Amino acid sequence: MKTAHAIQRAYERYNILNFSVSTVLSDILNGRCIQTNEDLTKFSRTFVVLYVNKYIQVVTDYNIRFVKTVLPFDNNTNLINTLISKIIK
């Protein structure tokens, strides 16, 4: 059920059809993202990921096993520049 929620939010917030949760999780686990928040009370982590030429903000569980939701992204240029430098390496 959580996967369907993430897919729906990706469509609503970023107009991404066929959102692939596994692609996002593999990018996170391979270090091709930026962690922006870690919340032990909500057992979650928030990442900024480059997905299909769009910067998206993804919330996962603390152990990074599934995507909880996709949040709107505020165009923070410092985060974008840091992410680009991580992807290029």
Side-chain angles (χ1 to χ4, degrees):
M1 198 58 144
K2 292 182 186 293
T3 302
H5 177 77
I7 292 169
Q8 179 183 358
R9 293 297 181 247
Y11 178 71
E12 290 173 354
R13 295 182 172 144
Y14 297 102
N15 201 22
I16 297 174
L17 297 173
N18 302 323
F19 179 70
S20 174
V21 173
S22 61
T23 301
V24 170
L25 287 176
S26 70
D27 281 351
I28 291 170
L29 293 173
N30 290 328
R32 299 186 64 179
C33 65
I34 299 172
Q35 182 174 332
T36 59
N37 192 13
E38 185 174 296
D39 191 347
L40 288 174
T41 58
K42 293 182 180 178
F43 198 68
S44 67
R45 296 179 190 216
T46 306
F47 297 92
V48 174
V49 181
L50 179 63
Y51 182 82
V52 189
N53 297 324
K54 294 181 182 184
Y55 298 101
I56 62 173
Q57 195 168 6
V58 176
V59 179
T60 67
D61 67 310
Y62 195 79
N63 294 327
I64 311 171
R65 295 186 186 210
F66 61 89
V67 173
K68 288 184 173 184
T69 190
V70 178
L71 298 174
F73 180 65
D74 58 348
N75 291 323
N76 186 333
T77 55
N78 291 333
L79 287 177
I80 292 172
N81 290 335
T82 306
L83 181 59
I84 289 171
S85 68
K86 285 184 115 181
I87 291 172
I88 291 175
K89 289 182 181 179

